[in-house]
Amino acid sequence: MTTYEQIFENNRQWVASKTATDAQFFEKLAREQKPDYLYIGCSDSRVPANEIMGLDAGEVFVHRNIANLVNNIDLNIMSVINYSVRHLEVKHIIVCGHYNCGGVKAAMQPEDLGLLNPWLRNIRDVYRLHMDELNAITDTTARYNRLVELNVQEQCLNVIKTAAVQQSYLKNGFPTVHGWVYDLHNGLLVDLKIDFEGLLHEIQKIYDLTGKGIQF
């Protein structure tokens, strides 16, 4: 286990490695951030956002919480989406879940988990929406993994429902929303091929917040 003191030595080595290849790395980084990507992921320590995407500091705006949820009454995630879309003008929003997610697994258990109950109910609601499909999967692990994927898809829908995303897409043609799952067993990202425009068309029947109707 890395000691607390070792972290600072690791930091100095990281700084040295960055300035060795670009002496002005931190000077340029300090000026501003203009990332193209907003990454919404799980807080799980095994899923480092920048590293799995192969991106450096300044290239991805990151929000993480238990089970990568996009809850419309969570001011944290709503503020992150608003800021990244309206001020940073990100081009892509990625919701990334991961197989073996502890939050999703906890939501599958018939247990009282105290303070976690209201948070995990969002995932249980995803199960309720897709109950027939999930209950038809007899293998527990496969069912668990499928719920991870469905949860990502539902959170992508929640991103698309926001006014910031709808209005920016109507005006600028971006951002687009993507759903990924990270596989802890091999380190690979799985693109769930979210049909962003199709979903946007579908949900605007109820969730259109542009006031104009979205045209493509």
Side-chain angles (χ1 to χ4, degrees):
M1 178 179 177
T2 303
T3 65
Y4 180 79
E5 291 74 17
Q6 182 63 42
I7 289 174
F8 291 92
E9 177 57 31
N10 293 346
N11 171 250
R12 287 188 285 269
Q13 293 176 12
W14 175 71
V15 170
S17 69
K18 289 299 182 184
T19 54
T21 56
D22 182 356
Q24 295 182 313
F25 178 81
F26 292 101
E27 180 182 340
K28 291 184 290 187
L29 194 64
R31 289 176 194 154
E32 66 173 346
Q33 61 169 331
K34 200 65 177 174
D36 285 335
Y37 300 93
L38 165 60
Y39 172 99
I40 301 170
C42 182
S43 297
D44 194 297
S45 62
R46 301 166 294 176
V47 191
N50 290 62
E51 291 184 39
I52 65 174
M53 298 172 72
L55 297 179
D56 212 337
E59 294 186 286
V60 55
F61 199 58
V62 177
H63 176 84
R64 299 173 70 173
N65 61 44
I66 294 174
N68 44 272
L69 296 182
V70 180
N71 188 326
N72 71 299
I73 59 171
D74 176 8
L75 294 182
N76 193 334
I77 183 62
M78 290 296 112
S79 297
V80 166
I81 292 173
N82 191 293
Y83 182 76
S84 64
V85 171
R86 291 184 164 149
H87 298 278
L88 298 179
E89 298 183 331
V90 296
K91 307 303 185 294
H92 303 272
I93 299 176
I94 297 151
V95 178
C96 185
H98 65 96
Y99 298 127
N100 287 24
C101 179
V104 172
K105 186 174 185 178
M108 295 177 71
Q109 311 305 315
E111 298 179 22
D112 179 0
L113 296 170
L115 185 62
L116 279 172
N117 287 338
W119 189 259
L120 296 180
R121 193 177 73 180
N122 294 279
I123 307 171
R124 291 185 172 121
D125 286 342
V126 174
Y127 200 120
R128 176 176 56 82
L129 290 170
H130 300 275
M131 187 185 306
D132 291 343
E133 176 186 350
L134 289 166
N135 286 347
I137 302 173
T138 55
D139 180 78
T140 303
T141 300
R143 187 187 309 125
Y144 173 18
N145 288 341
R146 182 55 181 155
L147 181 55
V148 167
E149 295 172 349
L150 291 170
N151 182 52
V152 168
Q153 293 178 18
E154 289 297 329
Q155 305 318 312
C156 285
L157 277 172
N158 288 339
V159 174
I160 297 171
K161 292 172 186 175
T162 63
V165 170
Q166 292 183 26
Q167 292 169 6
S168 176
Y169 191 78
L170 178 63
K171 178 182 178 182
N172 305 309
F174 60 80
T176 52
V177 178
H178 312 273
W180 297 353
V181 176
Y182 176 67
D183 193 336
L184 290 170
H185 296 95
N186 57 28
L188 295 176
L189 290 166
V190 179
D191 188 349
L192 297 180
K193 308 291 186 183
I194 297 296
D195 179 9
F196 171 68
E197 288 195 356
L199 291 173
L200 186 57
H201 269 304
E202 183 63 26
I203 69 167
Q204 73 170 332
K205 298 171 186 175
I206 300 174
Y207 299 99
D208 183 6
L209 300 181
T210 65
K212 299 178 180 178
I214 299 172
Q215 303 296 324
F216 299 97

